[in-house]
Amino acid sequence: MHHFQNASEHQQFDFRYYLTLSNGEGIAEASIGKAVLTMKNKLQEDSSLLELKLNDIKALENQQQQMISDLQNKSLSLEQHITSEFAKLHRLLQDKEQSLIEQLKKEAAGSLGKMEENLKDIKAKHSIIQDHLTYIHLALQLENPVNILRVSYILAVHVPLLF
């Protein structure tokens, strides 16, 4: 084993390590400095490759985030459009509903007025007929032939007007 006299000798020393071959036939000598340099180069390559991969992943991540944002914006825009269109349809249907209700009220009022006028006429005819029936019943109960003729004459003049 080698002992160092001072720190300077330690820094200048060509580090070597000994490897025993697996078959035990000999010892191979290699420079630690060379091994460290090789490992540093390998780590530099790995670092460069990983940084490239990291940049690719970051680009994919940004692209995916942009796609998510675009989809959310499109979805929100479409939702607002759908809401707006349904609001228009709702107003249109409400206007149509009010128009149909007003039309129905006008038609019903017109028909109702005619029907009430017809009912009034029917009730008037009913009253007249009822009165004539009362006169007929009275005439039938009269004993005096002159009075029977008078009631018959009155009824003959007024009854044909009803039918």
Side-chain angles (χ1 to χ4, degrees):
M1 184 186 253
H2 188 279
H3 294 286
F4 302 107
Q5 299 293 329
N6 58 37
S8 159
E9 184 181 298
H10 179 278
Q11 290 172 348
Q12 292 175 353
F13 179 76
D14 185 13
F15 290 98
R16 298 184 185 275
Y17 67 94
Y18 299 92
L19 300 173
T20 304
L21 298 176
S22 61
N23 61 11
E25 293 179 7
I27 296 176
E29 213 175 82
S31 166
I32 289 180
K34 193 175 190 180
V36 168
L37 183 61
T38 301
M39 288 310 288
K40 277 187 173 180
N41 288 340
K42 174 74 171 117
L43 289 173
Q44 256 330 65
E45 283 179 33
D46 289 350
S47 175
S48 295
L49 287 173
L50 287 174
E51 285 179 19
L52 287 173
K53 285 184 180 182
L54 183 61
N55 288 338
D56 289 345
I57 295 276
K58 282 182 182 178
L60 284 173
E61 181 182 348
N62 290 339
Q63 183 182 15
Q64 191 66 32
Q65 285 177 341
Q66 186 62 47
M67 289 170 60
I68 288 170
S69 177
D70 290 348
L71 180 61
Q72 287 172 332
N73 290 337
K74 285 179 184 177
S75 178
L76 179 60
S77 176
L78 185 57
E79 181 180 335
Q80 290 170 344
H81 177 71
I82 289 169
T83 300
S84 171
E85 290 301 308
F86 271 91
K88 288 177 189 175
L89 285 172
H90 186 70
R91 282 190 300 275
L92 179 69
L93 287 173
Q94 282 180 323
D95 292 346
K96 186 65 174 175
E97 176 187 21
Q98 288 304 314
S99 173
L100 289 173
I101 288 172
E102 287 301 314
Q103 182 182 351
L104 177 63
K105 285 180 180 179
K106 286 178 184 176
E107 289 176 7
S111 294
L112 188 58
K114 289 178 186 176
M115 293 174 81
E116 286 175 348
E117 195 61 39
N118 285 343
L119 180 60
K120 187 178 174 183
D121 290 344
I122 292 170
K123 285 182 176 183
K125 288 179 183 177
H126 177 267
S127 178
I128 292 170
I129 292 172
Q130 188 66 46
D131 288 346
H132 286 295
L133 277 175
T134 302
Y135 291 136
I136 290 172
H137 289 160
L138 283 175
L140 291 174
Q141 291 176 6
L142 292 175
E143 304 264 336
N144 183 340
V146 174
N147 287 337
I148 292 174
L149 290 175
R150 278 188 196 155
V151 171
S152 295
Y153 174 76
I154 292 171
L155 290 175
V157 170
H158 294 289
V159 172
L161 297 176
L162 295 175
F163 301 104

